[in-house]
Amino acid sequence: MIEKVETSRKMVAVTFDDGPNPIYTPRILDLFKNVSGKATFFMIGEHMAMYPEIVEAVVALGHEIGNHTYSHPDLTLINRHECLHEIQYADKIIENFTGRKPKVFRPPYFRYNEDVELIVSRFKYQTIGAVNVDALDWEQPGRDHIITKTRECINNGVILLFHDGFGDRSQTVEAVEVLIEELSIQGYEFVTVSDLLQSEKRIV
């Protein structure tokens, strides 16, 4: 999985998993408007079907949507046919909203094996990880923990992971607000994962 790229530019890719969500996704969109930045949302297909107006808002603002499967299963625990369906169905939903196929994929729970890799390769996706997994924002460890553990990972070309779906994400939104304000002051540019991957030599 790609966690960062080597680049001399002060740029980071901020990503959000498990949305869209009618409460937290719009708040995140407002934060990125304030810094004229872009983010990548790894959306769940069934959530996209539930909240199409939020998906449309994400697309209209120029953010990227990546594939995070249709229903968020552990892909290593289902058969190949089910795995293909999960990825393919989400792929089609994203294409319907955006007019183009997604370029990036993140497996739920970061669970991945040779069978999953073989299926993902059919779609020519880049599989995306993140550097700040110790922030554990999905476990709601507190705003300060999320901020501190993410700060430790900041560098040019990193990919950051947060969540805007499944449960109360108020801690995440509060932490992201602090972090992107700090990074903006430090001169960092907020770009999509695909734009980051095009910038320079990749580090896996």
Side-chain angles (χ1 to χ4, degrees):
M1 294 186 198
I2 301 168
E3 298 177 350
K4 65 180 292 185
V5 304
E6 184 178 0
T7 177
S8 59
R9 293 173 58 187
K10 296 190 76 169
M11 57 198 309
V12 296
V14 185
T15 70
F16 297 90
D17 285 11
D18 300 349
N21 177 279
I23 299 172
Y24 302 109
T25 308
R27 290 173 61 183
I28 290 166
L29 294 178
D30 287 340
L31 295 180
F32 279 85
K33 282 183 189 176
N34 293 338
V35 295
S36 300
K38 305 301 180 190
T40 297
F41 293 83
F42 286 94
M43 293 186 176
I44 297 172
E46 62 183 8
H47 290 180
M48 296 177 72
M50 291 170 63
Y51 306 112
E53 70 285 354
I54 301 177
V55 182
E56 290 167 358
V58 169
V59 174
L61 290 168
H63 300 288
E64 179 175 28
I65 298 179
N67 192 330
H68 200 44
T69 72
Y70 179 74
S71 66
H72 203 272
D74 181 336
L75 296 176
T76 67
L77 299 180
I78 60 178
N79 64 45
R80 289 184 180 184
H81 176 75
E82 292 168 329
C83 181
L84 175 61
H85 175 77
E86 282 283 339
I87 297 170
Q88 189 173 48
Y89 196 14
D91 182 272
K92 290 180 179 179
I93 292 173
I94 294 169
E95 185 177 12
N96 287 341
F97 275 105
T98 65
R100 56 186 179 273
K101 289 188 173 294
K103 298 178 180 178
V104 291
F105 171 78
R106 178 175 281 152
Y109 315 106
F110 289 120
R111 296 281 290 165
Y112 203 65
N113 60 20
E114 289 183 1
D115 286 344
V116 177
E117 182 178 5
L118 180 64
I119 293 169
V120 169
S121 69
R122 300 187 193 180
F123 296 86
K124 299 181 180 179
Y125 289 145
Q126 301 286 355
T127 303
I128 306 303
V131 297
N132 66 326
V133 291
D134 288 342
L136 299 172
D137 83 301
W138 60 90
E139 294 185 359
Q140 302 178 33
R143 186 198 78 153
D144 292 346
H145 177 91
I146 298 168
I147 292 171
T148 298
K149 290 299 181 180
T150 301
R151 280 177 180 153
E152 294 173 358
C153 302
I154 298 300
N155 209 332
N156 294 356
V158 298
I159 298 171
L160 302 176
L161 166 67
F162 303 100
H163 292 74
D164 61 335
F166 284 140
D168 183 350
R169 296 302 172 203
S170 55
Q171 292 179 6
T172 293
V173 175
E174 292 170 7
V176 169
E177 182 174 13
V178 171
L179 288 162
I180 66 173
E181 182 177 355
E182 289 181 353
L183 293 175
S184 181
I185 291 171
Q186 294 169 29
Y188 280 93
E189 179 184 2
F190 303 100
V191 300
T192 66
V193 169
S194 288
D195 286 343
L196 182 67
L197 294 178
Q198 291 175 4
S199 61
E200 277 193 30
K201 181 182 177 182
R202 200 174 304 148
I203 294 178
V204 180

